[in-house]
Amino acid sequence: MYWDQATETMSRDQLEELQLKRMKETLNRAAKAPFYQTLGIADYVIKDLSDIQKLPVTTKQDLRDAYPYGMVCTPLQEIIRLHSSSGTTGIPTVVYHSREDIQMWTELVTRCMYMIGVRPDDVFQNMIGYGLFTGGLGLHYGAERLGCLTIPTGPGNTKRQLKFMKEFDVSVIHVIPSYALHLADTLEAAGIKPKKEFPKLKSAILGAEPHSEETRAKIEDFFGIDAFNSYGLSEMNGPGVAFECPHKQGLHLWEDAFCFEIVDPETLKPTSPGERGELIVTTLTRQAMPIIRYRTKDLTMRITAECACGRTHQRIERISGRSDDMMILKGVNIFPIQIEQILIGTPGVGRNYQIILESKGHNDHMILKVELDPSMFIGDISSLEKLRAKLIRELHDEILITPDVDLCEPGSIPVAQGKAVRVIDNREL
Ligand code: AMP
Ligand code: ZN
């Protein structure tokens, strides 16, 4: 049941002792990187874990400013790999790994996969991008370490994905949730029943983008499988930071490798358990490029209750969005996931949607493009009008804005190769 029982079920006291020891080592190592030297990190003294709050935070901008080598604290000959974040603007953020870093990352990913029941006799199809993006190689190394037959398809080419899944009797897939929904659409359009086509398929690992509980349920129902939420970011290796156990009540964040805080994004003061805030993470084992108090911008909540699985590493709630993704419309703060929850949970609504923001005079205006199930286009048009009215009503109750709802046929909204583009902001500044 456990990949590494001693670590996964370590008592909280032992775990915190380990964290403190690793935190001190991390500070010593980080002090060799030009960026942290400038911050005078060597002068900070950590006596207990709460002292972490005295340390400066590190932002994505800091990583950019330190580009290309300002965060590295080991000689280049000890570094064997770099990865870069998927951000599309400006200078990329680059993260460097030593051999030990890659081994530790692999260990964490293997631990996650084992936790959800992946075993050496599984056939694993990895539909997430290889290359600079961390999703592909991260899971790839973990699956191989576990001993699975690993198929590195990467993203896209839906026909081939489905063919491989069928012909190699794939049992586990790793997929971006929006792409899983696209696969479902494609199968449905071809009248293919997933349980018949892929009798061995048992689980999907969903990662790389925020998705709602409703989206998970839709994927699980359609394919007849279990789907597990996988969270990570390239600054913290990539996948393998936090992952759902079979109980699916939040994601265990591996505290032997990372120290996490949840803070108010404005004041950076810790939030109380049960209160949502920004996740801040410190690497505890990274050799080549330790990162101290990284501001992820991801919003979540700490779950302190013990988990029925016996793992002692605390859980975080599924990420509800990035503080960057928050849209402010007519003064109201809205996250795309609030809209997704309503859409995906409504019968008749399909699996893809897009939010378009425009200026109407001096006002903000939202147009919501929503793909529908093909069955909605057969027969009575009044059912479309009823659905539109229902959506507008429920959306207004949730986000206090009355959007225009544009009901479209399946396949009319483009599907991204990587993370879905949910919001297009055409507003004038
Ligand atoms: P990258 O560094 O390009 O891999 O992107 C990392 C970002 O993707 C994170 O900071 C999150 O915003 C997002 N992300 C990754 N996994 C998840 C997940 N399971 N749920 C929500 N957001 C995620
Ligand atoms: Zn658990």
Side-chain angles (χ1 to χ4, degrees):
M1 175 185 175
Y2 304 109
W3 172 254
D4 177 359
Q5 184 162 3
T7 308
E8 290 172 54
T9 62
M10 195 178 265
S11 76
R12 290 294 311 168
D13 283 352
Q14 278 177 313
L15 194 50
E16 284 169 18
E17 205 178 300
L18 180 68
Q19 284 193 308
L20 184 58
K21 176 175 158 280
R22 292 187 169 172
M23 179 81 73
K24 290 177 181 166
E25 290 166 1
T26 296
L27 286 190
N28 284 339
R29 268 198 303 275
K32 298 192 195 105
F35 170 76
Y36 287 117
Q37 253 165 29
T38 317
L39 288 186
I41 213 78
D43 301 335
Y44 288 89
V45 181
I46 293 278
K47 290 210 178 89
D48 65 64
L49 278 178
S50 64
D51 287 339
I52 193 174
Q53 286 163 36
K54 297 184 193 146
L55 298 173
V57 292
T58 307
T59 62
K60 207 174 192 74
Q61 190 56 45
D62 291 330
L63 262 65
R64 291 198 174 114
D65 292 345
Y67 180 86
Y69 287 122
M71 291 264 177
V72 173
C73 70
T74 46
L76 272 195
Q77 63 265 31
E78 286 175 26
I79 296 177
I80 61 165
R81 171 116 56 93
L82 73 76
H83 276 283
S84 175
S85 159
S86 57
T88 46
T89 51
I91 298 173
T93 55
V94 181
V95 178
Y96 300 86
H97 302 270
S98 68
R99 191 173 303 282
E100 270 177 69
D101 292 333
I102 296 288
Q103 274 163 2
M104 183 62 187
W105 179 15
T106 302
E107 187 65 21
L108 292 173
V109 173
T110 313
R111 191 191 288 175
C112 296
M113 295 181 83
Y114 197 87
M115 174 164 76
I116 59 156
V118 184
R119 296 291 179 272
D121 57 357
D122 277 308
V123 180
F124 171 66
Q125 188 162 321
N126 196 3
M127 305 186 188
I128 286 197
Y130 280 71
L132 288 172
F133 183 57
T134 55
L137 284 168
L139 266 280
H140 186 100
Y141 273 55
E144 283 193 351
R145 166 107 166 83
L146 235 172
C148 302
L149 167 54
T150 304
I151 314 178
T153 47
N157 200 339
T158 303
K159 237 169 120 181
R160 191 180 61 184
Q161 302 280 12
L162 296 171
K163 179 177 154 70
F164 279 19
M165 280 171 71
K166 179 180 163 67
E167 293 177 357
F168 300 122
D169 267 335
V170 167
S171 53
V172 182
I173 56 174
H174 178 212
V175 60
I176 293 189
S178 48
Y179 191 66
L181 294 173
H182 175 66
L183 288 178
D185 271 346
T186 311
L187 289 167
E188 199 166 66
I192 296 171
K193 296 267 172 279
K195 265 282 141 218
K196 256 182 121 178
E197 188 85 347
F198 318 116
K200 291 271 173 62
L201 189 66
K202 61 176 188 186
S203 342
I205 297 168
L206 304 178
E209 64 183 16
H211 55 288
S212 58
E213 196 54 56
E214 287 76 6
T215 294
R216 181 235 294 275
K218 201 142 197 167
I219 293 167
E220 291 189 326
D221 289 350
F222 182 82
F223 288 97
I225 58 173
D226 279 309
F228 299 93
N229 193 347
S230 155
Y231 169 76
L233 61 162
S234 51
E235 293 81 358
M236 296 293 133
N237 299 340
V241 176
F243 212 92
E244 275 178 333
C245 73
H247 293 277
K248 299 182 191 164
Q249 300 286 325
L251 297 82
H252 289 280
L253 197 148
W254 300 123
E255 293 179 90
D256 55 319
F258 305 102
C259 181
F260 78 99
E261 306 162 71
I262 299 191
V263 303
D264 178 316
E266 300 288 326
T267 62
L268 297 188
K269 292 264 176 311
T271 54
S272 33
E275 201 187 329
R276 199 172 292 283
E278 179 180 336
L279 178 69
I280 291 198
V281 193
T282 301
T283 63
L284 293 180
T285 61
R286 179 84 66 64
Q287 305 290 317
M289 182 174 153
I291 305 184
I292 294 164
R293 301 194 78 204
Y294 184 67
R295 291 196 61 174
T296 65
K297 299 282 181 101
D298 292 322
L299 301 172
T300 182
M301 204 186 272
R302 183 191 293 267
I303 305 173
T304 47
E306 281 174 21
C307 185
C309 74
R311 290 178 182 82
T312 47
H313 300 240
Q314 284 185 354
R315 286 166 292 160
I316 54 168
E317 248 200 6
R318 75 171 51 245
I319 306 287
S320 57
R322 294 176 57 76
S323 51
D324 296 353
D325 290 345
M326 191 176 79
M327 307 173 271
I328 306 181
L329 257 92
K330 300 184 181 174
V332 183
N333 299 348
I334 304 168
F335 285 97
I337 211 156
Q338 292 176 276
I339 293 172
E340 178 176 310
Q341 272 161 359
I342 290 176
L343 296 180
I344 301 286
T346 305
V349 170
R351 302 187 181 90
N352 201 359
Y353 68 94
Q354 201 159 47
I355 302 161
I356 297 163
L357 307 178
E358 289 185 346
S359 304
K360 235 184 191 177
H362 292 295
N363 272 329
D364 297 329
H365 184 62
M366 180 188 288
I367 302 161
L368 207 56
K369 291 181 113 179
V370 184
E371 287 187 6
L372 297 187
D373 284 341
S375 60
M376 293 300 294
F377 294 96
I378 305 165
D380 194 359
I381 194 151
S382 70
S383 58
L384 288 182
E385 282 318 311
K386 272 193 204 136
L387 176 61
R388 191 201 311 275
K390 176 177 157 65
L391 287 176
I392 292 176
R393 205 171 48 241
E394 289 184 4
L395 286 162
H396 182 267
D397 287 349
E398 174 67 28
I399 60 174
L400 310 174
I401 297 278
T402 307
D404 271 353
V405 173
D406 183 2
L407 302 175
C408 347
E409 291 192 27
S412 42
I413 300 171
V415 179
Q417 273 265 320
K419 303 180 194 227
V421 181
R422 293 299 191 202
V423 182
I424 297 179
D425 195 343
N426 294 329
R427 286 178 294 179
E428 292 151 17
L429 285 177

